[in-house]
């Protein structure tokens, strides 16, 4: 049954309202960043003079060169490790049917309910005992453990929807487990893997509390933690704060734009399967 014209119009109107609700605050931040530094910003207002120099000033005053490098180091370790482990675990739980798979799956699902605020203090003392505080490796391992439950759940759900005939055909041709995963399933799993990669990168890049606790050395702070300190120093300079915020979120926007098609496809497939 085809939807009526009125139903389609209502659907598009709701989508436009939702898009406006999301884009309007972002437009406000962009316009605020272009006001002269130190000026007063009232709502979503167009500046009389476009002050592009705010971005350079915020970059220098906040030391975002080192902050962005630290964020890239952490995210560069967290993303591939999380995606790799989640893919292998999802394959084992869904396709191989490992012993105790249901219990393990339940454990990963329960891991989704544990907030980082509940673990961060105990995690800090445990990592301090093995010398992994004030070290990128400690943050990487902690974030991988934090994001892995969702990653395993995501990839397990994806592999569960792959036609079994595809796996059985590869088995009949003599393919082993590694060949089935890397040469048969992964080529058709690119949207799911891309979606997981983008999500993990976004979560890792935006991680604040865990990094703030684990990295006490100011020279190792990441961009979001540096932005938090920047707010304390320039709390009354709204244009400068807006420019610094846009600097921090710029890598996420770039990654999303680059992988937009695969990301949306992966999300859509996941929603349909759900």
């Amino acid at each position: 049954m085809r939807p009526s014209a009125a139903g389609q119009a209502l659907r598009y109107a709701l989508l436009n309202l939702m898009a406006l609700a999301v884009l309007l605050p972002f437009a406000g931040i962009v316009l605020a960043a272009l006001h002269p530094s130190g000026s007063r910003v009232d709502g979503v207002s167009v500046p009389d003079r476009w002050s592009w120099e705010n971005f350079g000033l915020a970059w220098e005053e906040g030391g975002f060169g080192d902050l962005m490098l630290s964020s890239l180091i952490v995210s560069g370790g967290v993303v591939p490790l999380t995606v790799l482990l989640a893919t292998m675990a999802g394959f084992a739980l869904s396709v191989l049917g490992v012993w105790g798979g249901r219990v393990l799956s339940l454990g990963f699902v329960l891991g989704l309910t544990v907030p980082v605020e509940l673990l961060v203090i105990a995690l800090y003392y445990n990592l301090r005992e093995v010398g992994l505080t004030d070290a990128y490796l400690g943050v990487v391992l902690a974030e991988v453990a934090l994001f892995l439950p969702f990653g395993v759940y995501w990839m397990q759900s994806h592999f569960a929807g792959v036609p079994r005939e595809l796996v059985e055909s590869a088995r009949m041709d003599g393919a082993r487990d590694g060949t089935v995963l890397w040469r048969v399933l992964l080529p058709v799993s690119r949207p799911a893997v891309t979606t997981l990669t983008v999500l993990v990168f976004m979560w890792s890049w935006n991680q604040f509390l865990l990094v703030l606790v684990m990295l006490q050395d100011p020279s190792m702070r990441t961009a979001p933690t540096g932005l938090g300190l920047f707010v304390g120093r320039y709390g009354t300079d709204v244009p400068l704060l807006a420019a610094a915020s846009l600097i921090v979120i710029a890598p996420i926007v770039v990654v999303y734009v680059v992988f937009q098609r695969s990301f949306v496809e992966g999300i859509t497939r996941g929603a349909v399967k759900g």
Side-chain angles (χ1 to χ4, degrees):
M1 182 176 179
R2 297 182 61 184
S4 63
Q8 287 185 341
L10 179 60
R11 185 180 295 111
Y12 283 120
L14 291 175
L15 290 175
N16 288 330
L17 286 176
M18 293 174 62
L20 184 63
V22 172
L23 294 177
L24 190 60
F26 183 76
I29 296 175
V30 174
L31 291 175
L34 296 175
H35 280 73
S37 178
S39 63
R40 180 179 177 180
V41 180
D42 296 323
V44 183
S45 58
V46 179
D48 297 329
R49 180 176 64 86
W50 302 88
S51 302
W52 298 97
E53 64 273 10
N54 286 339
F55 294 96
L57 181 60
W59 182 277
E60 294 178 2
E61 293 295 327
F64 280 102
D66 293 334
L67 296 174
M68 300 287 272
L69 179 60
S70 294
S71 290
L72 287 175
I73 292 174
V74 173
S75 298
V78 171
V79 173
L81 191 56
T82 302
V83 173
L84 176 63
L85 293 177
T87 301
M88 296 175 66
F91 172 74
L93 293 172
S94 180
V95 178
L96 299 184
V98 295
W99 183 84
R102 290 187 177 181
V103 176
L104 292 174
S105 298
L106 179 60
F108 282 114
V109 172
L110 292 177
L112 294 171
T113 66
V114 180
V116 64
E117 293 82 3
L118 186 65
L119 303 174
V120 65
I121 301 301
L123 186 61
Y124 171 78
Y125 286 109
N126 288 334
L127 292 179
R128 191 180 65 175
E129 292 296 324
V130 294
L132 287 180
T133 54
D134 279 336
Y136 290 126
L137 179 59
V139 176
V140 169
L141 294 178
E143 290 193 10
V144 169
L146 180 64
F147 306 144
L148 200 55
F150 174 83
V152 174
Y153 174 78
W154 177 264
M155 294 308 301
Q156 182 181 359
S157 300
H158 167 72
F159 286 133
V162 174
R164 290 296 173 183
E165 294 79 5
L166 192 64
V167 177
E168 293 173 359
S169 177
R171 297 288 193 195
M172 293 179 62
D173 291 337
R176 296 186 177 182
D177 295 339
T179 303
V180 171
L181 173 60
W182 301 111
R183 295 188 179 183
V184 178
L185 295 182
L186 274 189
V188 299
S189 304
R190 183 171 299 176
V193 173
T194 302
T195 300
L196 180 61
T197 300
V198 174
L199 290 175
V200 172
F201 175 80
M202 179 182 67
W203 295 336
S204 177
W205 187 272
N206 287 333
Q207 185 59 232
F208 179 82
L209 179 61
L210 188 64
V211 177
L212 185 65
V213 173
M214 295 299 168
L215 297 179
Q216 301 293 324
D217 188 350
S219 64
M220 302 179 70
R221 291 193 180 107
T222 58
T225 56
L227 179 62
L229 299 175
F230 189 86
V231 171
R233 292 171 54 192
Y234 299 94
T236 59
D237 195 337
V238 175
L240 209 59
L241 290 177
S245 300
L246 291 175
I247 290 173
V248 172
I249 67 176
I252 296 177
V253 175
V254 172
V255 169
Y256 175 77
V257 170
V258 172
F259 298 103
Q260 178 182 7
R261 180 173 298 179
S262 296
F263 178 80
V264 172
E265 184 180 353
I267 289 290
T268 303
R269 289 185 180 181
V272 171
K273 291 176 185 177

